[in-house]
Amino acid sequence: MVDVTIRGAGIFGLSIAWTCARRGARVRVVDPYGAGSGSSGGLVGALAPHVPENWNDKKAFQFESLLMAEPFWRQVEATGGVSPGYARLGRIQPINDPKSLDLAHQRATSARDLWQGRAEWTVVEARSVGSWCPPSATGFVIHDTLSARMHPRRACAALVAALAVMGVEVVPEAPDTGAVIHATGVSGLLELSDAFGKAVGNGVKGQAALLRFDAGQVPQLFAESIHFVPHADGTLAIGSTSERDYDDPTGTDAALDDVIQRALQAVPVLHGAEVIERWAGVRPRSKSRAPMLGAHPLHKGQFIANGGFKIGFGMAPKVAAVMADLVLDGQDTIPEGFRPEASL
């Protein structure tokens, strides 16, 4: 007997399963390829906020989710005994010209109002943050205390372990039983696009690399449009590309070579670090760029949770909460911009 069937074992599917199970529902996760087999099995794991300006529902939702992340992942690890590699260590971004410096000061003022003391976005001298800092032409950097890191694969493994303790299986095949949630990533977006005869969403390829470099318990970096995420296991992830056109969805090529070279230029201390893995995958992007949550446009009486392009891991705790509210309690708190209609 199952109350909720979740199709898709990426970060959205697994997180929703966890939250539903914690609320007492009997849950089954179905994925023919296994947990974290798609874009959720990547390397980078940069949980970073949108800039604190032009506040809207999407930014507020993400802000709340990033604040929810620490207790969410602490409970997952405590239940299943597997670490997701989560740590809220913040982020540093170099400021390389006077115009960007003025904008950063404006955003710091906005953060004080919008973030209400629950996290900080500040402009500080680069020398004040120590040696783990990219070169900054202005001598200043942005330091926020909301960003967090995690290892995507380990996070999926941690959820699978915690779900197993709760009696929830991830299986390759099973019938639809109870409420059905489709968290099927790119394939689900393509199904919608085919059905409606227009682009409802698509896949965007990303390439990333893993370096053998133990930076310690330090903030992640964002420089030259590259995320640098120090993981707890003594590795450092860098990435990623955003490719709308591609022939090989899982192959790495010269685009990743370019990312690696730019990373070494942006953070010179990485010179000589061994590249121990190259990874590529396709991430689901809805037309609206926001997660697509709510009633499924094709499958009457069923639900969808899709489109977490680049922000899926950061959004997952609150996505799981609002989907559990909707499916288990009939309580709809999904922002208008997150509904499927926003992409239709």
Side-chain angles (χ1 to χ4, degrees):
M1 295 293 294
V2 173
D3 301 314
V4 181
T5 298
I6 298 174
R7 296 204 165 274
I11 185 58
F12 276 7
L14 293 172
S15 296
I16 295 167
W18 165 251
T19 299
C20 288
R22 290 260 296 159
R23 296 190 187 185
R26 295 165 294 186
V27 182
R28 179 185 292 133
V29 183
V30 183
D31 195 313
Y33 305 105
S37 58
S39 60
S40 293
L43 302 174
V44 179
L47 282 60
H50 292 291
V51 293
E53 64 182 8
N54 300 323
W55 207 239
N56 56 31
D57 286 346
K58 180 179 179 180
K59 292 185 178 184
F61 189 103
Q62 187 206 41
F63 178 68
E64 292 296 330
S65 190
L66 290 171
L67 292 173
M68 293 168 63
E70 193 161 10
F72 179 95
W73 290 108
R74 186 190 312 120
Q75 187 62 54
V76 168
E77 182 174 357
T79 301
V82 176
S83 171
Y86 175 88
R88 184 175 155 183
L89 297 172
R91 179 175 63 167
I92 295 168
Q93 305 175 67
I95 305 172
N96 290 322
D97 60 76
K99 183 178 179 180
S100 297
L101 180 58
D102 288 342
L103 183 58
H105 280 297
Q106 294 172 30
R107 288 171 172 170
T109 300
S110 296
R112 285 195 291 272
D113 296 331
L114 297 170
W115 291 4
Q116 301 175 348
R118 302 167 79 184
E120 294 182 349
W121 169 295
T122 56
V123 177
V124 299
E125 291 187 355
R127 63 185 180 182
S128 71
V129 300
S131 60
W132 178 244
C133 182
S136 171
T138 63
F140 290 90
V141 297
I142 298 163
H143 181 214
D144 84 75
T145 62
L146 183 56
S147 294
R149 65 102 196 272
M150 68 163 31
H151 196 302
R153 290 177 191 165
R154 294 176 186 267
C156 290
L159 280 164
V160 170
L163 286 167
V165 172
M166 302 288 285
V168 179
E169 295 180 306
V170 179
V171 298
E173 295 181 7
D176 289 342
T177 306
V180 179
I181 303 172
H182 297 261
T184 50
V186 174
S187 64
L189 294 180
L190 295 179
E191 177 191 25
L192 288 171
S193 295
D194 288 343
F196 286 93
K198 60 181 180 180
V200 176
N202 61 285
V204 180
K205 181 178 177 179
Q207 300 187 49
L210 194 66
L211 279 58
R212 194 183 308 281
F213 186 88
D214 190 352
Q217 294 287 100
V218 295
Q220 62 185 270
L221 308 177
F222 186 69
E224 298 297 327
S225 300
I226 299 170
H227 294 279
F228 300 76
V229 182
H231 289 310
D233 61 0
T235 63
L236 177 85
I238 57 172
S240 62
T241 64
S242 290
E243 304 167 47
R244 298 288 292 271
D245 298 314
Y246 51 86
D247 296 320
D248 183 354
T250 60
T252 62
D253 53 33
L256 181 55
D257 296 335
D258 179 64
V259 168
I260 294 170
Q261 289 304 311
R262 289 191 293 116
L264 297 180
Q265 293 171 4
V267 185
V269 72
L270 298 179
H271 278 280
E274 178 189 2
V275 177
I276 57 178
E277 184 176 350
R278 295 164 62 95
W279 177 89
V282 181
R283 299 158 294 180
R285 178 189 181 278
S286 70
K287 182 180 178 181
S288 71
R289 295 182 62 92
M292 185 183 293
L293 311 175
H296 200 290
L298 297 180
H299 305 291
K300 187 175 180 180
Q302 300 182 0
F303 305 90
I304 188 170
N306 205 329
F309 176 57
K310 289 189 177 181
I311 55 175
F313 279 85
M315 290 283 207
K318 191 163 178 65
V319 165
V322 300
M323 289 302 295
D325 288 341
L326 180 63
V327 172
L328 300 181
D329 304 327
Q331 181 182 358
D332 188 346
T333 58
I334 298 168
E336 288 298 322
F338 285 28
R339 299 180 188 277
E341 291 76 14
S343 292
L344 297 177

